[in-house]
Amino acid sequence: MFSKILIANRGEIAVRVIRTARRMGVRTVAVYSDADANALHVAMADEAVHIGASPVGESYLRGDRIIEAAKATGAEAIHPGYGFLSENPDFVDQVVAAGLVFIGPSAASIRAMGLKDAAKRLMENAGVPVVPGYHGEAQDIVVLASKAREIGYPVLIKARAGGGGKGMRRVEHPDDFPDALSGARREAKAAFGDDRVLVEKYVEKPRHIEVQVFGDNFGNAVHLFERDCSAQRRHQKVIEEAPAPGMTAGMRKAMTDAAVKAAKAISYSGAGTIEFIVDASDGLRPDRFWFMEMNTRLQVEHPVTEMITGVDLVEWQLRVAAGEKLPKSQEEIALSGHAFEARIYAEDPQRDFLPAIGTLHHLSFPAQAPAGSAMRIETGVRQGDAISPYYDPMIAKLVVHAEDRHPALHALATALKNTEIAGSVTNIGFLAALAQDADFAAGDVDTGLIGRKQVALTETPQPDATIVARAALAASGMNSVSSDDPWASLTGYSHFHPIERQVSLHRGAKELKASVAAEGNGRYAVRLEGFPSVALTQADLAGTVAWPGHVAVFAAGIAYTFTVPDPFASAAEAEAGAGSMRAPMPGLVKLVRAAQGDAVKKGQPLLILEAMKMEHTIAAQHDGIIADIALEGAQVTDGTVLVRFVEEVSA
């Protein structure tokens, strides 16, 4: 076994690897960028090496610096985690050439499966079913459009490199093909450095079911059952579960046999995932699944497999890379219970899941698992950490396990409702709503479920009078939340009249005014405009947090956040108003589709903003004439004015 390894990654997965390595007595070396100097994975590792500036191209994608760090610290092997360099065969070659061990598959295996078109031809030759489509080399639009017509609409344009839903477009009609192809190519180029695509038949009721496989260097390969990852938005996974709901013995055998066959076809070593697309229009049938791609690394959702099998996949990775045989045979791997994983992100579901940034002023996960379940929290952040615009905005993965699907799903919903995060908008409320959706609960899920129900799933109830009153009390400073607050010692004391304070809260553009009166003995009366007086006690402030200029109240998984205006601050920030459009997040202006002086209509695409390697179209919010528009290639921050209008034209 290795005595020291370097982890060529950051955040949650780096922390995950460190945890197993520590249990096995293996020392760890972390690498970090400028933005991650104080990150959790850096603090947890035995050693840490700075490798560059915050952008990934200057740090986590610098394989040369990572290898130098490994050699300088005496690490014997490099664990790539997922993302970044984990599926880069050139990096694997460099690691091996430097006399180090890559904790993962060989460069040859990664190359065999790295390009979706070549991988599908290989799988066809190995007898693994593949989805109908065009996987050839020709990339001219005339050829691709012709193949799309042959396949039959709707079709799916997919980047042949990478994954994670990037470089992917569904096309319903031939007229939409050129624009969809251009968008997919741009996104693929930005994410993977390769703009080549393939075209496939779009399955009308698709489920995404994948099989965890594991191989060693002695020709052995096993599966660890399947995971269902059909709950997706924009082709990115949201909630994963294992096993797949509705799975039959015949279907499982067909899929797992095909997955092991695929792994053996490329002499695979290490952890890998064979992803299948399943036509669920007539239930799960052994003749209705097709190979999509292989992820030649550990998956983000690997904890659900660990929960149902009791296997530590990171430990297996280390053992196999160190030259050991697989710890268990296929017959020794058993499936027990049901597990879910929910990915908690800093993103705004009500704004089409736009990535968000911010400081995690409050971060609290349930102290214990709901009754009858087990729970684990996978995270790479702590309270007080910042969500950076440079990296994936995942905050944590909440994983639960119970004896069956229904209690496991109940445990997931309960744990989500008891998770409190403030300082950045998150998707927790959306995840809790999805966990309680009737179709999802029934196992009737496909990759379009979230899209069909997005409005209902992302709808946030307006705060009721009690929630607003709790926020007003916290903002008033009259409670004893902070022992340093001079008002705390005066609570309830007055010669003639109750102590009272006026509070102004803002939620979005709406101002909420309240009057808070201390009545003694930890009791308060809060009067709100338009509502009867609300009686509160100190205990009612549980689930309420405040930080400079803000207060958040948690209820049923939702963080109701209010801003508390500074009465001494200038009120004049009048520059833009309705006459301009601002960037909804930090990003790069990738493409500009309008110019100064253009008359544009409401809904017309004006520019494309790239953030987190995904493209977001910024469309006109009203008719108008453009006075100024951002330049292509401009790097903008959240709130930067992108478009300014000289005149509004009534519709």
Side-chain angles (χ1 to χ4, degrees):
M1 181 48 61
F2 309 114
S3 61
K4 182 187 292 187
I5 63 171
L6 179 141
I7 303 164
N9 217 296
R10 63 175 300 279
E12 171 267 323
I13 186 58
V15 170
R16 165 73 188 87
V17 175
I18 290 170
R19 195 166 61 241
T20 288
R22 179 181 293 170
R23 179 177 59 77
M24 296 175 67
V26 177
R27 293 178 61 80
T28 55
V29 179
V31 293
Y32 65 94
S33 67
D34 289 347
D36 282 340
N38 298 311
L40 179 59
H41 75 281
V42 174
M44 286 183 63
D46 296 297
E47 301 173 62
V49 179
H50 177 254
I51 54 170
S54 300
V56 294
E58 300 175 43
S59 51
Y60 296 107
L61 292 180
R62 288 295 303 268
D64 55 340
R65 294 181 183 173
I66 289 170
I67 291 171
E68 287 173 9
K71 295 176 72 174
T73 56
E76 303 151 273
I78 294 179
H79 194 300
Y82 51 70
F84 296 142
L85 296 169
S86 63
E87 294 181 282
N88 186 320
D90 294 335
F91 177 63
V92 179
D93 285 337
Q94 293 164 8
V95 170
V96 174
L100 303 169
V101 175
F102 181 77
I103 303 175
S106 67
S109 292
I110 295 175
R111 287 191 176 97
M113 289 297 191
L115 299 178
K116 296 182 181 71
D117 51 357
K120 288 181 180 181
R121 291 194 295 270
L122 176 64
M123 290 299 99
E124 282 182 304
N125 293 333
V128 177
V130 301
V131 67
Y134 173 70
H135 310 131
E137 292 293 330
Q139 292 289 300
D140 295 337
I141 186 172
V142 175
V143 174
L144 295 174
S146 173
K147 294 297 182 182
R149 279 192 169 89
E150 289 178 17
I151 296 164
Y153 285 88
V155 298
L156 197 63
I157 300 173
K158 298 173 66 175
R160 74 172 198 163
K166 299 178 177 67
M168 190 178 294
R169 296 289 190 279
R170 176 182 175 175
V171 190
E172 297 284 348
H173 192 273
D175 292 345
D176 301 326
F177 192 86
D179 281 349
L181 178 62
S182 297
R185 281 176 165 166
R186 281 194 308 272
E187 205 166 89
K189 184 70 173 178
F192 316 120
D194 185 346
D195 67 356
R196 288 170 290 181
V197 300
L198 50 86
V199 183
E200 293 181 344
K201 177 66 179 173
Y202 184 83
V203 179
E204 288 296 341
K205 190 174 182 182
R207 280 179 63 177
H208 179 135
I209 301 178
E210 59 191 32
V211 176
Q212 176 73 60
V213 294
F214 221 108
D216 62 21
N217 295 307
F218 301 90
N220 301 307
V222 297
H223 71 81
L224 291 94
F225 304 100
E226 80 281 353
R227 298 184 288 257
D228 194 306
C229 307
S230 301
Q232 301 180 4
R233 50 107 179 115
R234 291 205 305 263
H235 305 294
Q236 291 187 310
K237 301 166 187 175
V238 174
I239 294 180
E240 301 97 346
E241 61 180 301
M247 180 60 69
T248 64
M251 179 74 163
R252 175 172 290 136
K253 178 169 174 50
M255 291 189 77
T256 55
D257 284 353
V260 172
K261 186 185 297 183
K264 288 186 173 181
I266 56 171
S267 302
Y268 194 78
S269 176
T273 299
I274 309 296
E275 299 192 346
F276 295 102
I277 189 77
V278 179
D279 180 354
S281 59
D282 192 23
L284 296 183
R285 292 174 41 179
D287 61 343
R288 295 286 184 91
F289 73 90
W290 302 280
F291 171 85
M292 281 200 304
E293 61 184 329
M294 181 178 189
N295 287 301
T296 52
R297 53 170 169 80
L298 197 66
Q299 291 280 87
V300 176
E301 59 272 22
H302 76 272
V304 293
T305 295
E306 294 183 325
M307 295 290 258
I308 65 166
T309 62
V311 169
D312 184 330
L313 293 174
V314 174
E315 178 181 343
W316 278 33
Q317 285 186 299
L318 296 181
R319 293 194 180 282
V320 166
E324 298 181 21
K325 290 185 177 181
L326 288 176
K328 290 185 177 182
S329 66
Q330 189 67 71
E331 294 71 25
E332 295 174 308
I333 303 170
L335 188 159
S336 176
H338 204 100
F340 284 93
E341 173 184 287
R343 302 187 186 191
I344 299 174
Y345 276 96
E347 63 183 13
D348 192 344
Q350 291 193 307
R351 298 170 71 189
D352 200 25
F353 299 98
L354 288 179
I357 58 173
T359 298
L360 300 176
H361 293 285
H362 179 75
L363 181 66
S364 175
F365 298 103
Q368 60 185 19
S373 69
M375 179 182 65
R376 58 193 262 193
I377 304 297
E378 302 285 340
T379 186
V381 296
R382 299 157 294 186
Q383 184 165 297
D385 286 352
I387 302 298
S388 164
Y390 296 104
Y391 314 118
D392 183 88
M394 181 189 287
I395 296 173
K397 301 183 310 195
L398 193 156
V399 190
V400 297
H401 177 270
E403 62 181 7
D404 205 351
R405 187 174 190 270
H406 289 295
L409 190 56
H410 176 72
L412 179 69
T414 301
L416 285 167
K417 290 178 182 179
N418 291 322
T419 297
E420 299 178 355
I421 301 176
S424 174
V425 62
T426 75
N427 65 341
I428 293 176
F430 158 74
L431 292 171
L434 178 59
Q436 297 170 95
D437 176 76
D439 289 336
F440 188 78
D444 184 14
V445 59
D446 60 79
T447 59
L449 174 68
I450 291 174
R452 292 192 300 272
K453 298 189 171 189
Q454 184 166 328
V455 173
L457 291 172
T458 58
E459 185 177 15
T460 300
Q462 290 300 310
D464 60 23
T466 300
I467 289 174
V468 177
R470 290 168 62 192
L473 175 57
S476 72
M478 296 182 70
N479 58 80
S480 56
V481 168
S482 170
S483 59
D484 298 328
D485 189 340
W487 285 93
S489 62
L490 300 176
T491 298
Y493 174 78
S494 174
H495 280 300
F496 304 108
H497 303 288
I499 297 173
E500 191 168 275
R501 178 173 290 187
Q502 305 303 312
V503 176
S504 175
L505 301 172
H506 287 184
R507 181 164 167 80
K510 186 176 182 180
E511 182 179 17
L512 304 165
K513 292 185 177 180
S515 174
V516 182
E519 298 182 332
N521 298 320
R523 294 179 293 109
Y524 305 87
V526 182
R527 293 195 302 274
L528 306 170
E529 289 186 350
F531 292 95
S533 178
V534 178
L536 297 176
T537 67
Q538 189 69 36
D540 291 314
L541 285 175
T544 302
V545 296
W547 65 99
H550 299 82
V551 61
V553 180
F554 299 99
I558 299 171
Y560 293 95
T561 302
F562 304 82
T563 57
V564 185
D566 182 351
F568 299 105
S570 170
E573 206 245 356
E575 172 215 340
S580 70
M581 294 176 61
R582 296 177 180 270
M585 62 197 147
L588 174 72
V589 178
K590 194 72 174 180
L591 183 67
V592 176
R593 292 183 168 179
Q596 184 178 11
D598 284 358
V600 298
K601 295 290 185 181
K602 180 179 179 180
Q604 179 179 333
L606 301 182
L607 53 83
I608 292 176
L609 188 67
E610 180 188 279
M612 310 293 183
K613 298 300 182 185
M614 297 289 285
E615 291 188 352
H616 307 273
T617 299
I618 306 299
Q621 296 174 343
H622 52 72
D623 297 355
I625 297 174
I626 295 178
D628 196 16
I629 191 165
L631 298 175
E632 281 189 16
Q635 191 78 41
V636 299
T637 59
D638 188 6
T640 299
V641 175
L642 297 175
V643 184
R644 197 162 48 83
F645 297 94
V646 292
E647 178 182 349
E648 283 195 38
V649 181
S650 59

